[in-house]
Amino acid sequence: MADSIPLNPVRKNSRRTPYFNSARLSRYSLEDEPSNLDEMPLMMSEEGFENDESDYQTLPRARVNHRQRGLGWFLLGGWKVLCGSCCDCLAHICRRKKELKARTVWLGCPEKCEEKYPKNSIKNQKYNIFTFVPGVLYQQFKFFLNLYFLVVACSQFVPSLKIGYLYTYWAPLGFVLAVTMVREAVDEVRRYQRDKEMNSQLYSKLTVRGKVQVKSSDIQVGDLIIVDKNQRIPADMIFLRTSEKNGACFIRTDQLDGETDWKLKVAVGCTQRLPAVGDLFSITAYVYAQKPQLDIHSFEGNFTREDTDPQIHESLSIENTLWASTVVASGTVIGVVIYTGKETRSVLNTSYAKNKVGLLDLELNRLTKALFLAQVVLSIVMVAVQGFVGPWFRNLFRFVVLFSYIIPISLRVNLDMGKSAYGWMIMKDENIPGTVVRTSTIPEELGRLVYLLTDKTGTLTQNEMVFKRLHLGTVSYGTDTMDEIQSHIIQSYAQVTSQPSNGSTGGATPSRKTQTSGPKVRKSVNSRIHEAVKAIALCHNVTPVYESHVNGETESAEADQDYSDDNRTYQASSPDEVELVRWTQSVGLTLVNRDLNSLQLKTPSGQILSFHILQIFPFTSESKRMGIIVREESTGDITFYMKGADVAMASIVQYNDWLEEECGNMAREGLRTLVVAKKCLSEEQYQDFENRYNQAKLSIHDRGLKVAAVVESLEREMELLCLTGVEDQLQADVRPTLELLRNAGIKIWMLTGDKLETATCIAKSSHLVSRSQDIHVFRPVSNRGEAHLELNAFRRKHDCALVISGDSLEVCLRYYEHEFVELACQCPAVVCCRCSPTQKAQIVTLLQQHTANRTCAIGDGGNDVSMIQAADCGIGIEGKEGKQASLAADFSITQFKHIGRLLMVHGRNSYKRSAALGQFVMHRGMIISTMQAVFSSVFYFASVPLYQGFLMVGYATIYTMFPVFSLVLDQDVKPEMALLYPELYKDLTKGRSLSFKTFLIWVLISVYQGGILMYGALVLFESEFVHVVAISFTALILTELLMVALTIRTWHWLMVVAEFFSLGCYLASLAFLNEYFDLSFITTWPFLWKVSAITLVSCLPLYIIKYLKRKFSPPSYSKLSS
């Protein structure tokens, strides 16, 4: 069914060129407030919109900000934009895309191809052997922080600028680069191995000499490939032959469109009729295929056989195609390859992974720029106070290097190690087993999310249908009363078989006689149930499949197969239909066989009822119904059965007073409803219909409309049989999880490829849309005028959820992108149905561009990969639809409910800890730089280092590293509390844990403590300068350890160990530091009291301030924990 629904490929943004009428700009200014849609000039008629193109210009487009690009812009990041655009331009020239064209493909003759087509290999790697080192270095040094360290380290090769030992600068930088390269290399090797595994899969290729084994990557356009059951289709193919007798097979498309139901594909009639497989080489035939495109739901082509007279022409549509990445579910298929590699539908719909950078990293990058500015200003002040004497430029650079500790290189190391620690904690959390962190660079993003974009099928739902309700108007049956239906069915068929008349009448005759005798006669409940169940058992597109194991091979058998219930599985393109047929089996009427022209039902007594299928009218999203005309073989009676959505069926069935009300009741329960009706046809009526129908099918112009008109002539005054309710089982704890996320201030958008009715139903049942909220269903729009009117209608609605289809969305984004996103972002929930994979990714990108908030995408199928990769944070669920999404995601979970703990607990902790860690490491650098500044200013502004060699390396590593890094174990709120009060999460999205305000507080603390430590040491020392170094350095180490203790909110035993271990290391190392310290002085009382006094003055005021703040202005989380 889904195959027949057109999904237009998304146009690139470049197509949306704003055009303005300069003469009218004064009237509708771009930045004008009245550019609200209500005040836009509206066309009075649709024709006006379609004909007068020039009048479009009076409608203001999305606001355009024209920035003034001057020197300030260039210095504040413009240089990066220019460099980036130059690189993009070069890359575009280097890999200029070849134009995609339509093609003629000769069967089994790849050498006859007119052009060279891409290789059929999968490649997901970011780098190759030549680009790996430059690529990784570029990714590292595009950050200001790392580039700054590189420049400072390189400056130490210049003798006049050398301040200390080379290893003090190069060792940390080398360590950071080595860790990054190893991590990237491991990821790259894993990607390579995954690709190699896929590319090395073997397939059977048909040649003139018979079958040969060929690797997936060696398959070419024109090859005839044999694909067995449960094997992945390696390239886009046209379906030529199958081992199934009916010339059709099922394929699983879950990795392509996310739908787990099987799709029926039909082989080309001309090749299916050939006596043997080898005859494919004895005919001269070719396929004409349209150029490769994004749309997975449509295809146009022709099959031509030339060696017959006249030539045989067959038109090819989507039902004759086998797309790559789908899996054969029944029989063995043979196809001719038409698209390979980069031109396949699955690859065209996949976006390539980008290097994701966390918001925290960007904020820290901004802060380091501010610190660098402060460093340069401080250096200029030092040189200025000297009076710019001598080689002042060299002195300026020496001061810049001296104060380089303001921006500590250990910041990068600590943060990267912290991220790895958070990843390890997430994977070890017993409450979310099976969670995998695949991108270790962005765990803090989990704590900053504002938009969650989720898939439906397999993510919110299990995609398992359960029959819940049968309503006959006067009586309703639920799950607990299904046994009554079963006894009615057994009874009705027992009556029929006990009659001496024709044994296989199927019990339809008595009820039909009742109907014909007069419409006023009420039928018994027994006959109404019987008719309803029979209609459900006949009106569908379900095929029973039997497995037989012959010589170890599984084949689908038909006539020779035993019809045992254990050996039967049902397949259809909709899981709803399968569940309805399973339900009729459970109450006694079993579908045992079906081919293209007939189907058989088995009664409770074991009788077989045969029906001849005369016509099938498949389900489409436009008609919202499907019908079937069958002739019962035993009686010759012709019946037209139809089932569909209540909106479509209400006008077709005879007048009744209960249908609308009961449909509403079932929808409120979250059930998917179907109305079932029937109409008895006489032979003459059917013949008349068939003639008109066949005539309409042969017409060239408006074929679809003419066919629909003929079918509609039958769809009048149909007898309403029953209303069914089927439930799509939700994943465990979906409702509480969605409520938790909503309370946390996260806006949830559901993006699905499913039908509008189904999506709306699940949005209600999962409580994505609360019961009190209205739902605004965006009418289908196809042009600018309709979009404009519909957006105006939507604007007037308040606090209602939006449901929109992919086609309408594309039209809105083409003309009113800014206005649409602005309105949609105000909705409590948004549901986008019939979305293609590329549209899902486009919606994510739109939200990022228009709101500047962090987005998270969660899905479980191959069709969600683009969306997951486009989002700031991608989460994949390992589900029934395979592992494609979880492998492409940044985080992989096993159930949707785990997302609550992942965000509320781990997201919160990761962000809070990294913010504290980053600022503390900066404080550690700023305090020593303040001491250096005080020291230089006291000693006549000399550019001489205060601490040299090992003291500086030891300070950043062994003396303070462990206590500072132990901040990754800190937590402000217990996990249970974070889950109980999700409102705490809202504070995180405001980014208050790391802002210019908190940063300035740390700067003031650093300046105060650095000043106290240095001045205290200078005031208290008596004889030798070496005592200043000893006193100030020891007080500095103690101050840092005490400051870590002050910052910690929840103590962990490892934190205590780290504090005492670091103190022990420092005291132990004093014995070996006679180069810097006077050992005889350190062991005296004056040294101890001076150090204690300075440390007390530097730390005690901060402890008092913290106590007072907690007492009089406690943060929200501390109120809860108390």
Side-chain angles (χ1 to χ4, degrees), residues 639-796:
T639 314
F640 172 35
Y641 291 104
M642 178 162 269
K643 69 175 182 203
D646 53 307
V647 284
M649 298 290 288
S651 59
I652 293 171
V653 297
Q654 292 166 349
Y655 173 76
N656 63 83
D657 55 4
W658 59 272
L659 182 62
E660 190 180 345
E661 185 186 346
E662 288 306 326
C663 282
N665 292 341
M666 285 197 194
R668 278 188 284 280
E669 290 177 46
L671 301 181
R672 296 153 73 131
T673 55
L674 281 175
V675 180
V676 184
K678 79 165 192 178
K679 186 176 193 175
C680 298
L681 303 176
S682 65
E683 191 68 45
E684 297 76 36
Q685 279 178 310
Y686 176 69
Q687 287 304 329
D688 172 54
F689 164 78
E690 188 179 33
N691 293 336
R692 287 184 295 125
Y693 186 66
N694 290 338
Q695 211 172 340
K697 282 209 292 189
L698 288 171
S699 63
I700 297 167
H701 301 294
D702 298 327
R703 182 187 298 178
L705 290 170
K706 287 177 183 173
V707 167
V710 174
V711 176
E712 274 174 30
S713 68
L714 270 190
E715 297 171 347
R716 288 182 190 147
E717 288 295 301
M718 295 188 73
E719 182 192 344
L720 174 60
L721 296 178
C722 65
L723 176 67
T724 64
V726 173
E727 183 183 41
D728 187 354
Q729 298 279 70
L730 293 172
Q731 292 270 10
D733 295 335
V734 158
R735 289 175 188 144
T737 304
L738 288 176
E739 193 172 340
L740 177 88
L741 296 172
R742 254 205 313 274
N743 292 339
I746 296 172
K747 289 187 176 178
I748 303 159
W749 289 34
M750 185 166 90
L751 313 180
T752 174
D754 220 329
K755 297 186 288 291
L756 187 137
E757 294 78 18
T758 314
T760 312
C761 199
I762 294 299
K764 287 177 183 171
S765 64
S766 66
H767 296 178
L768 175 72
V769 176
S770 60
R771 291 191 174 181
S772 58
Q773 270 169 3
D774 286 336
I775 293 180
H776 177 82
V777 179
F778 205 88
R779 279 192 314 112
V781 295
S782 56
N783 58 43
R784 182 171 191 150
E786 290 175 357
H788 191 153
L789 295 168
E790 192 57 26
L791 279 169
N792 274 345
F794 177 43
R795 269 190 77 235
R796 298 187 188 98

Side-chain angles (χ1 to χ4, degrees), residues 102 147 256 435 569 705 1097:
L147 189 64
L256 188 66
T435 304
T569 54
L705 290 170
V1097 174

Side-chain angles (χ1 to χ4, degrees), residues 484-600:
E484 287 183 36
I485 297 179
Q486 194 172 0
S487 60
H488 279 305
I489 294 292
I490 292 168
Q491 195 181 336
S492 65
Y493 279 107
Q495 286 172 2
V496 172
T497 46
S498 65
Q499 289 174 2
S501 63
N502 205 333
S504 57
T505 54
T509 322
S511 58
R512 199 163 285 137
K513 281 176 183 166
T514 314
Q515 186 195 359
T516 50
S517 63
K520 301 286 179 207
V521 179
R522 290 197 70 129
K523 298 180 190 172
S524 67
V525 171
N526 197 358
S527 69
R528 286 166 63 206
I529 288 175
H530 167 238
E531 282 187 20
V533 173
K534 183 176 168 187
I536 295 169
L538 288 170
C539 184
H540 53 71
N541 241 325
V542 180
T543 307
V545 177
Y546 295 93
E547 304 294 335
S548 70
H549 297 273
V550 184
N551 302 330
E553 288 184 20
T554 305
E555 291 179 353
S556 182
E558 303 212 359
D560 58 332
Q561 191 53 244
D562 66 319
Y563 293 142
S564 66
D565 292 350
D566 303 337
N567 199 29
R568 184 190 313 110
T569 54
Y570 290 118
Q571 288 310 330
S573 58
S574 162
D576 300 56
E577 289 207 310
V578 173
E579 178 53 31
L580 289 171
V581 172
R582 278 208 199 107
W583 175 76
T584 62
Q585 179 185 337
S586 71
V587 295
L589 202 56
T590 309
L591 173 71
V592 290
N593 196 8
R594 184 195 183 124
D595 55 36
L596 296 174
N597 302 313
S598 68
L599 55 77
Q600 275 101 33

Side-chain angles (χ1 to χ4, degrees), residues 143 145 357-371 411-412 415 444-445 448 852 854 911 914-915 919 922 988-996 998-999:
F143 282 108
L145 189 69
V357 180
L359 187 58
L360 186 102
D361 290 322
L362 297 173
E363 288 168 344
L364 283 170
N365 210 36
R366 282 201 293 274
L367 293 181
T368 51
K369 286 175 186 172
L371 283 175
L411 179 63
R412 198 68 269 149
L415 285 176
E444 300 90 4
E445 291 294 274
R448 310 288 295 278
R854 306 315 269 178
Y911 170 57
S914 280
Q919 291 178 118
M922 284 182 177
L988 304 182
T989 55
K990 295 168 186 166
R992 289 175 179 166
S993 298
L994 178 68
S995 61
F996 271 103
T998 58
F999 172 64

Side-chain angles (χ1 to χ4, degrees), residues 236-260:
D236 288 357
M237 306 197 297
I238 294 297
F239 183 15
L240 300 178
R241 276 181 78 85
T242 174
S243 58
E244 303 283 285
K245 292 177 186 173
N246 59 6
C249 81
F250 283 105
I251 62 162
R252 294 199 295 268
T253 61
D254 45 21
Q255 290 304 315
L256 188 66
D257 59 13
E259 295 181 12
T260 50

Side-chain angles (χ1 to χ4, degrees), residues 11 154 267 292 303 376 455 473 503 572 651 670 756 780 815 977 1021-1022 1102:
R11 286 171 172 78
C154 289
F303 177 89
V376 172
D455 177 41
S651 59
L756 187 137
Y815 300 118
M977 205 62 80
F1021 97 102
E1022 288 156 1
L1102 297 174

Side-chain angles (χ1 to χ4, degrees), residues 803-1073:
V803 179
I804 187 168
S805 70
D807 296 341
S808 304
L809 177 73
E810 193 191 333
V811 176
C812 290
L813 295 181
R814 193 182 310 151
Y815 300 118
Y816 299 114
E817 183 180 291
H818 181 86
E819 287 80 4
F820 174 79
V821 177
E822 205 171 308
L823 288 171
C825 288
Q826 290 164 13
C827 295
V830 177
V831 177
C832 298
C833 54
R834 283 278 163 229
C835 276
S836 66
T838 36
Q839 268 181 321
K840 289 184 178 186
Q842 191 196 14
I843 293 165
V844 172
T845 313
L846 275 173
L847 283 175
Q848 289 168 336
Q849 288 168 352
H850 284 269
T851 65
N853 287 320
R854 306 315 269 178
T855 57
C856 172
I858 178 167
D860 69 322
N863 63 321
D864 302 314
V865 170
S866 297
M867 165 174 83
I868 284 169
Q869 290 179 338
D872 297 299
C873 173
I875 299 175
I877 296 181
E878 282 190 24
K880 292 179 180 174
E881 299 186 16
K883 290 190 173 186
Q884 205 170 338
S886 71
L887 288 173
D890 306 305
F891 302 91
S892 165
I893 57 179
T894 52
Q895 290 182 50
F896 182 81
K897 65 177 181 181
H898 291 168
I899 197 173
R901 188 175 179 88
L902 191 66
L903 303 190
M904 300 302 123
V905 177
H906 293 288
R908 177 186 188 84
N909 288 343
S910 300
Y911 170 57
K912 286 266 190 182
R913 289 164 175 173
S914 280
L917 182 64
Q919 291 178 118
F920 201 93
V921 172
M922 284 182 177
H923 155 78
R924 193 171 67 180
M926 286 186 288
I927 193 170
I928 205 160
S929 297
T930 306
M931 293 172 75
Q932 176 68 54
V934 172
F935 172 75
S936 292
S937 55
V938 167
F939 289 96
Y940 310 104
F941 304 101
S943 53
V944 176
L946 167 62
Y947 305 126
Q948 290 192 348
F950 182 76
L951 285 187
M952 287 308 294
V953 176
Y955 171 67
T957 54
I958 193 129
Y959 298 152
T960 60
M961 182 174 78
F962 299 111
V964 171
F965 187 68
S966 71
L967 289 172
V968 301
L969 299 168
D970 192 20
Q971 61 178 36
D972 56 351
V973 175
K974 286 195 173 77
E976 301 77 35
M977 205 62 80
L979 289 167
L980 191 59
Y981 299 101
E983 292 78 10
L984 289 170
Y985 189 87
K986 288 181 189 174
D987 284 347
L988 304 182
T989 55
K990 295 168 186 166
R992 289 175 179 166
S993 298
L994 178 68
S995 61
F996 271 103
K997 181 187 170 186
T998 58
F999 172 64
L1000 284 172
I1001 291 169
W1002 276 107
V1003 169
L1004 293 173
I1005 291 171
S1006 306
V1007 170
Y1008 165 74
Q1009 290 187 325
I1012 292 291
L1013 292 173
M1014 199 63 235
Y1015 275 116
L1018 289 168
V1019 167
L1020 294 177
F1021 97 102
E1022 288 156 1
S1023 50
E1024 294 184 44
F1025 172 69
V1026 75
H1027 295 175
V1028 174
V1029 174
I1031 293 169
S1032 62
F1033 193 76
T1034 308
L1036 174 66
I1037 297 295
L1038 290 174
T1039 298
E1040 281 300 294
L1041 297 180
L1042 287 169
M1043 283 303 292
V1044 170
L1046 177 70
T1047 309
I1048 288 169
R1049 287 164 290 219
T1050 310
W1051 282 89
H1052 188 281
W1053 65 270
L1054 279 172
M1055 294 172 169
V1056 181
V1057 169
E1059 290 268 331
F1060 284 107
F1061 175 73
S1062 296
L1063 187 61
C1065 284
Y1066 177 65
L1067 296 175
S1069 66
L1070 288 177
F1072 309 104
L1073 296 177

